[in-house]
Amino acid sequence: LVGLRVTGITHVGMGERACVDTCTYLRQNEGTLVGSHSEGMILCVSETHPLPYMPTRPFRVNAGAIMSYTLASNTRTNYLSELTAGSKVLAVDVKGQTRVVTVGRVKIESRPLLSVDAVAPDGTAVNLILQDDWHVRVLGPGGAVLNSTELKPGDVVLGYLPTEDRHVGYPIDEFCREQ
């Protein structure tokens, strides 16, 4: 994992977002990597951290907009909208440790969305579109829990920079541009 510096937050209106409910209890500093483009993803935290107005859901990651990539097993990516009961996704913790977990359900609903732009130390631009709600969170260094509604330029979030672009979810070594 690498620290990504947030460069901008934009309200992008309504759209469909996906919650990924797993068949596994996720840990507090664990979630899934999600991103709008194959060259970078942000660590979205599981709903394991307490909230004052709703119970925790330690099996869920409020992951992002339905067109987002997430990592599955064997370095493959899937769109969040492709996941179904029985799919496999990669759970990742703040130390970069991974394990494969099984999806039990994907819950897709219309919600207001935020676009989060960030940049890696090597200059790679990363984007994540996620729900504009206080209980939707990403992870920062040391397991810092950052609410989507409170993110601001300069904040550091944890992310991953795959080395290959993707075609139908598989790594490729050819020209590919996503914007």
Side-chain angles (χ1 to χ4, degrees):
L1 297 176
V2 63
L4 305 169
R5 186 178 44 80
V6 174
T7 58
I9 305 291
T10 307
H11 296 269
V12 294
M14 296 294 288
E16 281 69 51
R17 68 89 174 103
C19 285
V20 179
D21 292 346
T22 69
C23 297
T24 303
Y25 283 112
L26 299 168
R27 296 182 287 271
Q28 280 200 335
N29 291 330
E30 189 175 43
T32 58
L33 291 160
V34 183
S36 298
H37 306 110
S38 62
E39 63 265 4
M41 300 175 189
I42 293 175
L43 185 55
C44 296
V45 68
S46 55
E47 292 188 9
T48 52
H49 295 271
L51 293 164
Y53 54 86
M54 62 189 267
T56 59
R57 295 182 175 100
F59 53 83
R60 173 173 287 173
V61 177
N62 193 320
I66 57 172
M67 54 14 105
S68 303
Y69 289 111
T70 192
L71 284 178
S73 55
N74 300 326
T75 69
R76 185 167 197 260
T77 57
N78 285 103
Y79 295 117
L80 292 176
S81 63
E82 294 175 335
L83 299 175
T84 59
S87 295
K88 306 293 185 195
V89 294
L90 205 60
V92 181
D93 71 15
V94 295
K95 295 177 183 172
Q97 298 172 342
T98 63
R99 62 185 173 130
V100 176
V101 297
T102 301
V103 173
R105 151 184 68 229
V106 177
K107 187 176 180 187
I108 297 173
E109 299 170 312
S110 294
R111 296 288 185 263
L113 301 173
L114 287 174
S115 178
V116 178
D117 291 306
V119 64
D122 71 358
T124 301
V126 177
N127 177 267
L128 170 64
I129 297 177
L130 73 169
Q131 185 178 340
D132 181 3
D133 194 313
W134 185 79
H135 79 276
V136 177
R137 300 160 167 181
V138 297
L139 285 170
V145 178
L146 305 167
N147 302 327
S148 68
T149 57
E150 296 176 357
L151 284 172
K152 60 191 177 313
D155 286 344
V156 176
V157 299
L158 291 176
Y160 172 67
L161 306 175
T163 56
E164 299 98 357
D165 289 318
R166 305 286 165 154
H167 180 68
V168 295
Y170 293 100
I172 57 169
D173 186 21
E174 62 184 50
F175 177 78
C176 179
R177 182 170 146 185
E178 296 175 309
Q179 44 187 35

